[in-house]
Amino acid sequence: MELLKMFLTFAKVGVMTFGGGYAMLPILQREIVEKQKWATDAELTDYFAIGQCTPGIIAVNTATFIGRKHKGVLGGIVATLGVVFPSLVIITLIAAFLTNFADIPLVRNALTGVNACVVALIASSVIKLGKSTLKNSPSVVIFLCVLALACVANFVPFPAVWWGKLLDTVISPAVLIVCAGVVGVILWMPAGKKGGGRE
Amino acid sequence: MIYLRLIYEFFKTGLFAVGGGLATIPFLRDMGASTGWFTDADLTTMIAVSESTPGPMGVNMATYVGFHIAGIPGAVLATLGLITPSIIVILIIAGFLARFRQSRLVDAAFKGLRPASTALIAAAGLSVAKNVLLDLGGAETTLATLFRWPALLLAAAVFVCMRIKPLSKLHPIVFIGVSAVLGAVFRFAGA
């Protein structure tokens, strides 16, 4: 029964996600953190961090993590199948009957509204996450550095010469995450304060 | 055997595409070129449909491509092929984390990871914001034409609602639904 509930909960998350893994965050916070209490906000940021550096889609990785934590290996598989199930049904129907789906004016207009809403939802989610992940000044410094570098990578087109390509590779989410982990070890390992981190 | 080939191609994509659903696009482009299953124009349609339907984009892409090539079994097999590497890798990492949860090294690393992860989510949000709220395509850009005003107003309104007490209790899907209706009624895309 627990597994069925897990499948249905993640199917619900899948059907309510519009866009990439980040658009899933507000829904995960509501369904998984607040309603089911299967994970905390801090754990969600952990899963997203790991999802940035591991193969596969972040949404899928996060579902596997939460399922595994709550109900073991089988839970991980069931949660993942749950999150992809709505896509299978919806996309198959659209691919079979509505190949011009994305060109329908009603769809395009409605989707533009949804996208504007998703921007606001992500902003609100980031504030919630920040409350649990940015509690001290070194954390805030790491946050600001990574945000600045990631924005440079997103918004500044690097020239297609060797150093531009090098920068493009170096300032990737996976590299930034790994560097932040190393900084964390340097900063907090010697202090060795117990208990402040995981729950 | 088309089914085995499908599983193999999507397993490869799932294994090597690191990050979000957008990371799968270059792999799909290569797949189209090497197998002849779909053209770049087909792929553009598939991306558009994947973006405008619920569900994680990468999964939508796999389902769409799979269906296009081999019907419903193709859709199921392509999707399973895509997610299998993630499931295996994440189950291994999760097992490792559960065992080393008390380790000071892992704990310290995660203290560094969390603010970075939060920053990457914020940066991704800003990228979406740029695409959705700003209009940089015009011949000349002034303050009046820089913003897509209806989208900006809607985003601001939703953000404020998410922060005030009784309204913030509403499920995010309510805001998404209302925004879809507003977008359709006021023709946000101008279509």
Side-chain angles (χ1 to χ4, degrees):
Chain A
M1 273 336 272
E2 274 290 298
L3 285 173
L4 181 66
K5 189 177 166 198
M6 179 161 268
F7 181 88
L8 292 176
T9 304
F10 275 94
K12 204 166 148 192
V13 172
V15 89
M16 290 175 179
T17 300
F18 282 83
Y22 297 105
M24 197 169 129
L25 185 62
I27 312 289
L28 279 176
Q29 279 178 324
R30 178 57 59 102
E31 292 291 330
I32 306 298
V33 177
E34 288 162 25
K35 260 198 208 160
Q36 308 290 353
K37 302 198 189 333
W38 286 340
T40 63
D41 272 342
E43 280 169 335
L44 277 190
T45 53
D46 293 353
Y47 300 152
F48 271 72
I50 295 168
Q52 295 278 2
C53 340
T54 49
I57 293 152
I58 296 178
V60 170
N61 293 352
T62 307
T64 313
F65 253 119
I66 296 169
R68 158 73 173 72
K69 186 204 158 203
H70 194 62
K71 277 270 149 218
V73 171
L74 194 58
I77 295 170
V78 167
T80 311
L81 292 178
V83 93
V84 303
F85 180 71
S87 296
L88 268 176
V89 176
I90 295 168
I91 295 286
T92 302
L93 287 175
I94 288 176
F97 301 112
L98 284 171
T99 35
N100 63 340
F101 180 78
D103 297 326
I104 302 170
L106 181 71
V107 172
R108 283 178 51 202
N109 286 328
L111 189 74
T112 309
V114 169
N115 284 339
C117 175
V118 166
V119 170
L121 294 179
I122 294 179
S124 167
S125 287
V126 168
I127 293 175
K128 268 193 217 168
L129 289 184
K131 281 184 188 153
S132 63
T133 60
L134 306 177
K135 282 179 178 161
N136 47 48
S137 35
S139 300
V140 176
V141 173
I142 295 176
F143 172 83
L144 292 174
C145 290
V146 173
L147 182 62
L149 286 171
C151 284
V152 168
N154 283 349
F155 298 129
V156 183
F158 293 125
V161 290
W162 67 270
W163 59 268
K165 283 177 192 158
L166 186 72
L167 273 180
D168 214 27
T169 318
V170 172
I171 314 183
S172 69
V175 173
L176 290 173
I177 286 286
V178 171
C179 292
V182 172
V183 170
V185 170
I186 295 167
L187 281 178
W188 283 290
M189 177 82 167
K193 273 190 226 142
K194 284 245 161 165
R198 309 195 66 92
E199 296 180 23
Chain B
M1 187 64 193
I2 188 88
Y3 294 134
L4 281 179
R5 183 83 196 275
L6 256 184
I7 297 179
Y8 168 73
E9 290 289 342
F10 277 93
F11 188 91
K12 228 169 53 179
T13 304
L15 187 59
F16 294 115
V18 174
L22 290 173
T24 58
I25 290 174
F27 289 89
L28 291 174
R29 186 157 290 139
D30 285 350
M31 192 192 295
S34 67
T35 59
W37 283 341
F38 46 88
T39 62
D40 269 6
D42 291 335
L43 188 61
T44 309
T45 309
M46 292 170 186
I47 295 171
V49 170
S50 303
E51 279 175 336
S52 35
T53 42
M57 228 192 95
V59 175
N60 290 352
M61 299 280 294
T63 308
Y64 201 119
V65 174
F67 183 85
H68 182 79
I69 297 157
I72 292 175
V76 174
L77 292 175
T79 306
L80 291 181
L82 180 83
I83 65 177
T84 305
S86 306
I87 295 183
I88 296 170
V89 171
I90 295 297
L91 285 178
I92 293 170
I93 294 179
F96 170 86
L97 277 185
R99 186 175 305 171
F100 294 98
R101 185 155 288 217
Q102 303 304 322
S103 142
R104 265 172 53 191
L105 181 76
V106 172
D107 189 55
F110 270 102
K111 280 186 184 159
L113 286 187
R114 281 183 197 146
S117 178
T118 311
L120 288 174
I121 296 168
L126 288 175
S127 283
V128 181
K130 184 193 127 196
N131 292 334
V132 175
L133 306 182
L134 299 186
D135 184 2
L136 303 169
E140 55 180 310
T141 303
T142 62
L143 195 62
T145 63
L146 175 64
F147 294 104
R148 297 179 203 276
W149 289 100
L152 185 69
L153 285 177
L154 177 60
V158 171
F159 183 77
V160 170
C161 291
M162 289 293 290
R163 313 297 307 164
I164 338 179
K165 244 309 160 355
L167 288 172
S168 63
K169 292 270 178 265
L170 286 172
H171 198 287
I173 197 67
V174 175
F175 293 108
I176 293 177
V178 171
S179 302
V181 172
L182 288 174
V185 170
F186 293 101
R187 298 176 162 216
F188 269 30

